[in-house]
Amino acid sequence: MSFSPAPYFTPSRLLPRIVGLLLLAGVIVGCGNDPHPPPLKTKKEDGSPWLVRYGAMNEEARSLDPQVAYDQMSRTILEPVYDTLLEYHPMKTEPYEVVPCLLEAMPERTALPDGGVTYLCRLKKGVFFQDDPCFPGGKGRELVARDVQYAWQRMCDPKVESPVLSTFQASVAGMTEVYEAAKASGAFDYEQPLTGLEVLDSHTFRINLTKPYPQILYWMAMHFTTPVAREAVEYYDGKEHPDGPGGALLLRPEFKWHPVSTGPYRIAKHQPQSSYRLVRNPNYTATTFPTEGWPADKEALLRPLAGKKLPLIDEVQIPIIREQLPAFLMAQQGYLDRSAVGKDAFNSVVTASLDLAPQYKERGVALEKDVTVSTFYISMNTQDKVLGPNKKLRQALSASFNARAWVDIFYNGVAEVALQLISPGIYGFQKDFKNPYGYNLENARRLIAEAGYPNGIDPATDRPLELTLDAVAGDSWQRQTIEFDQRCFEQLGIRIKVVENTFARMLEKEDQGAYQLASGTGWGADYPDPENYYFLFYSKNFPPAGKNISRFKNDEFDRLFEQMATMENGPERLEIVHRMNAIFAEECPVILNFNKAFFVMVQPWAPRTHNNQMLEGGIKYAVTDPVLRDAKRREWNDTPEWPIFLALGVVFAGLGYAVRLNQKRNA
């Protein structure tokens, strides 16, 4: 059987190809560069615009369990999701001020004859947990005092492993006893009352302290003490349950990834390692926008917000962007509402006089300097068999580290070099103090010889001493800082083996003591008091009981800490704080680096509504102007004309080729 060749491009075959080329042209011309998913809604029930805030974080949270989470990334999500008993006033920072949040008034303090102290607390009425399947009928119930006691009991449960337990044990009555009983029995008895937090009625409770501890008010502004629904903890157990259609087994998430709270937002969607999406809690009633306390230059912006129901934004999208430059570029295009000005973008945004570059001023962008209450350092494991017993070696490493150069390179000279553990602005900070083991290479080489390693050589092997430096290497900036650290130490003739970790793995190693040197560690103060810095090096706070990741132990330091921690500010307390600073400097459990400060680019449609760096974002106070944002995005992202001409060229070239080939095959 013979076949005559059929035309390859018949009209029926040519038409789909033309359509395909036209569709391709449409895609090329019409495609946008908005990296965010569409908002959950465009309008509210009343027809007003659905307001969206676009933020970013550079790592995944470690846990969203309020009695456990103790890292900045977790707090970034916890703050808008969970309310606390007290909270920081968003504008008052000199001094910092805590105000009621879930409580209807500040706790009433009573000193007892036996040296103890009590705080009488009353919860606001009419505050409800968010609707959730863990409650009967899926309807959130009212917050009661028993929820506060349950949260404090969880801190005592050995299986929960709350990192602040040891701090509370030192002053809250009964915590040690119930913790030890649970350890002995293998199970915590949640039906047993906690003497340290006594429920008086449905909305009233009393905190019983065995000794004065003024900082308890600051802890009540943190998520460790925030109330938790027992139903939620028991429901979200990470196991399979017949929750599906027809009783099909479905895996419930763990409570640490499914918060159920009374806060202003709930998590609408979480894509691990990728993004969070928060949505406004429609039943939120606990707080309103402050009616006073803002600076005079914010009057026009903030006065119209006074007393308004919170939150002011309907949806918050928070992608995880590990590299600084992509985040900056997204902000430059209008797809983030603010962006820290990192090293790579600094010279294009900030002038030599530390002012905003003219092209950004023309856009209406504001440049603000954030000075965080923090100190960053390189941790040294003082229980390590090499570093621990050799104070001279720790001192030598400290003296080899050029913190001034580090700040100039990685923070463009904006941050301050840290000379002591306590950061500026905190009670006990010594303005004239000089770190005796700050950068001095000559001194460092002398010290390492005295440590038993002349020119960095280990006499036991006749080879350079090798130490391991663990660090998070999530982006190029972090890798550059690690290389800087490595070069500093290797000036001593030693060898540094770098181990790169994820953020979560780094936290695990710190808690386990599975490291020698840990780069990029530090402390953002939980509250503005020297006790909150020095407790990091109190020997009873080894993980998991606390956050003494250096595993530092010094008997005099411990004794002074216990004395200082319960005192009100005054000359005697100040003298103790200064003595502790001297011990810390001499023992070198860390290599001090910097007090964090940086510039932030603030978009014209999302002006700052708070200036308190004790807040981890203050999202519930945030505002946005969607009309201005859309206009600026269009202005900053003009659709170029070249894709149109390219697309038309592709179409006509394709048509011409198809016609010629069709003619050739049918000739």
Side-chain angles (χ1 to χ4, degrees):
M1 183 180 294
S2 63
F3 295 91
S4 60
Y8 184 75
F9 283 103
T10 63
S12 62
R13 293 190 178 189
L14 187 59
L15 183 60
R17 286 165 174 76
I18 296 173
V19 172
L21 288 168
L22 290 172
L23 287 175
L24 175 62
V27 169
I28 294 173
V29 174
C31 68
N33 55 354
D34 188 345
H36 302 293
L40 295 172
K41 298 180 181 180
T42 57
K43 299 285 184 181
K44 300 179 190 176
E45 291 78 6
D46 62 3
S48 60
W50 179 262
L51 302 179
V52 185
R53 182 86 173 183
Y54 297 96
M57 53 197 286
N58 57 19
E59 283 288 351
E60 176 63 273
R62 191 181 187 191
S63 170
L64 300 180
D65 184 331
Q67 276 74 59
V68 174
Y70 213 172
D71 63 277
Q72 184 183 13
M73 296 302 106
S74 299
R75 288 174 60 187
T76 299
I77 304 300
L78 282 171
E79 183 182 281
V81 170
Y82 278 100
D83 262 343
T84 47
L85 297 172
L86 302 176
E87 65 180 354
Y88 286 93
H89 190 291
M91 295 93 174
K92 296 183 179 180
T93 59
E94 296 181 1
Y96 293 94
E97 182 179 332
V98 289
V99 295
C101 183
L102 291 175
L103 297 184
E104 66 177 21
M106 292 298 291
E108 299 172 15
R109 182 182 185 276
T110 301
L112 304 178
D114 63 359
V117 175
T118 67
Y119 289 88
L120 185 66
C121 306
R122 297 180 179 87
L123 290 170
K124 292 175 179 175
K125 295 184 177 180
V127 175
F128 286 80
F129 283 99
Q130 299 161 1
D131 293 347
D132 190 271
C134 71
F135 299 115
K139 187 70 175 175
R141 61 166 176 79
E142 188 175 13
L143 171 70
V144 294
R146 181 68 186 89
D147 299 314
V148 184
Q149 186 185 63
Y150 177 69
W152 289 49
Q153 286 176 314
R154 292 190 75 234
M155 284 194 285
C156 304
D157 188 340
K159 293 181 179 178
V160 174
E161 293 188 348
S162 179
V164 299
L165 172 63
S166 62
T167 300
F168 281 78
Q169 283 178 309
S171 56
V172 180
M175 276 195 158
T176 298
E177 289 77 7
V178 296
Y179 173 76
E180 294 298 337
K183 280 184 67 177
S185 67
F188 192 90
D189 182 5
Y190 282 96
E191 303 306 321
Q192 177 184 357
L194 179 64
T195 57
L197 197 143
E198 183 182 0
V199 174
L200 303 181
D201 62 38
S202 64
H203 287 74
T204 309
F205 61 93
R206 181 165 52 224
I207 299 170
N208 298 313
L209 305 183
T210 57
K211 59 183 179 183
Y213 185 47
Q215 295 82 10
I216 194 69
L217 295 181
Y218 292 130
W219 284 104
M220 293 170 72
M222 296 182 66
H223 297 100
F224 296 107
T225 61
T226 201
V228 169
R230 184 170 180 175
E231 299 97 315
V233 176
E234 294 178 350
Y235 186 87
Y236 292 105
D237 57 4
K239 299 178 182 178
E240 288 187 334
H241 294 270
D243 298 334
L249 291 176
L250 293 179
L251 186 69
R252 290 179 187 170
E254 294 179 273
F255 174 69
K256 70 176 183 178
W257 295 120
H258 191 99
V260 179
S261 71
T262 62
Y265 290 94
R266 64 175 178 83
I267 297 178
K269 188 173 184 180
H270 172 210
Q271 293 180 295
Q273 305 299 326
S274 177
S275 65
Y276 287 85
R277 188 184 293 208
L278 313 180
V279 66
R280 178 174 51 86
N281 174 10
N283 301 320
Y284 183 71
T285 59
T287 60
T288 57
F289 200 91
T291 57
E292 47 78 38
W294 50 76
D297 62 350
K298 296 278 189 179
E299 176 71 18
L301 170 66
L302 301 181
R303 175 63 66 184
L305 303 177
K308 280 197 171 185
K309 181 181 178 181
L310 297 175
L312 302 171
I313 301 293
D314 301 295
E315 180 182 338
V316 183
Q317 293 194 23
I318 308 176
I320 297 172
I321 308 173
R322 290 178 171 81
E323 296 281 349
Q324 289 187 351
L325 189 56
F328 170 75
L329 293 175
M330 285 177 62
Q332 193 176 44
Q333 293 175 295
Y335 295 114
L336 290 179
D337 291 342
R338 63 189 295 268
S339 173
V341 182
K343 174 179 175 290
D344 294 333
F346 191 88
N347 291 332
S348 67
V349 177
V350 182
T351 66
S353 60
L354 300 184
D355 193 10
L356 184 65
Q359 64 266 33
Y360 289 98
K361 284 186 177 181
E362 292 173 3
R363 288 177 162 216
V365 171
L367 183 69
E368 299 193 14
K369 184 176 180 179
D370 281 348
V371 182
T372 66
V373 189
S374 63
T375 302
F376 287 80
Y377 41 78
I378 298 171
S379 292
M380 291 187 277
N381 185 351
T382 61
Q383 299 297 308
D384 177 73
K385 64 181 181 180
V386 177
L387 288 172
N390 198 331
K391 180 170 67 174
K392 292 283 188 181
L393 176 57
R394 300 197 302 272
Q395 292 170 346
L397 291 167
S398 178
S400 73
F401 183 75
N402 192 341
R404 178 73 269 167
W406 196 101
V407 166
D408 288 343
I409 293 171
F410 298 108
Y411 273 85
N412 298 94
V414 177
E416 296 293 328
V417 172
L419 301 176
Q420 55 198 291
L421 180 64
I422 298 174
S423 62
I426 300 297
Y427 183 81
F429 177 80
Q430 295 173 262
K431 292 183 179 180
D432 57 350
F433 183 82
K434 301 297 182 184
N435 180 6
Y437 303 105
Y439 178 63
N440 184 323
L441 196 53
E442 182 181 349
N443 190 31
R445 287 169 175 157
R446 176 183 60 80
L447 286 165
I448 200 165
E450 294 176 3
Y453 303 98
N455 298 316
I457 301 301
D458 184 347
T461 63
D462 201 32
R463 298 172 62 184
L465 171 67
E466 183 174 285
L467 297 174
T468 299
L469 175 68
D470 277 275
V472 175
D475 59 32
S476 60
W477 185 87
Q478 289 175 324
R479 285 187 286 274
Q480 291 171 30
T481 65
I482 299 166
E483 291 171 3
F484 180 96
D485 300 347
Q486 183 182 28
R487 288 195 301 270
C488 281
F489 299 141
E490 289 187 343
Q491 293 178 103
L492 298 175
I494 66 176
R495 293 290 177 264
I496 297 295
K497 177 184 177 183
V498 173
V499 178
E500 297 184 354
N501 302 270
T502 63
F503 180 67
R505 179 57 181 148
M506 190 72 226
L507 293 178
E508 289 175 1
K509 283 188 172 182
E510 291 169 4
D511 287 348
Q512 295 163 0
Y515 75 95
Q516 286 184 305
L517 297 163
S519 180
T521 56
W523 190 249
D526 295 317
Y527 46 85
D529 189 272
E531 182 265 353
N532 187 238
Y533 285 83
Y534 287 140
F535 92 117
L536 295 167
F537 299 92
Y538 179 51
S539 67
K540 293 183 180 179
N541 282 344
F542 283 18
K547 296 300 290 183
N548 184 352
I549 64 170
S550 290
R551 286 165 166 76
F552 177 65
K553 187 179 189 305
N554 179 282
D555 291 341
E556 184 184 3
F557 187 93
D558 283 352
R559 178 180 58 79
L560 291 172
F561 175 82
E562 291 170 355
Q563 185 179 354
M564 178 273 299
T566 63
M567 299 173 70
E568 300 285 348
N569 289 343
E572 185 180 359
R573 190 179 197 231
L574 190 62
E575 183 178 347
I576 292 172
V577 170
H578 290 174
R579 174 57 188 153
M580 294 178 72
N581 183 39
I583 295 170
F584 183 86
E586 178 65 21
E587 292 296 325
C588 276
V590 304
I591 299 167
L592 293 167
N593 192 355
F594 69 103
N595 303 118
K596 190 173 185 179
F598 52 89
F599 284 122
V600 177
M601 227 172 50
V602 180
Q603 305 286 24
W605 59 81
R608 298 280 285 273
T609 51
H610 79 88
N611 62 348
N612 191 334
Q613 294 304 307
M614 297 304 300
L615 300 176
E616 201 61 66
I619 291 176
K620 73 177 179 180
Y621 304 108
V623 297
T624 192
D625 181 342
V627 176
L628 179 59
R629 177 170 56 206
D630 290 346
K632 289 293 184 181
R633 282 184 178 179
R634 288 192 297 271
E635 178 185 336
W636 299 348
N637 296 275
D638 286 338
T639 302
E641 295 181 356
W642 65 264
I644 299 174
F645 295 108
L646 175 63
L648 292 174
V650 169
V651 170
F652 288 118
L655 286 172
Y657 176 78
V659 170
R660 288 195 301 275
L661 184 60
N662 190 50
Q663 290 173 342
K664 182 177 179 181
R665 286 180 175 271
N666 288 279

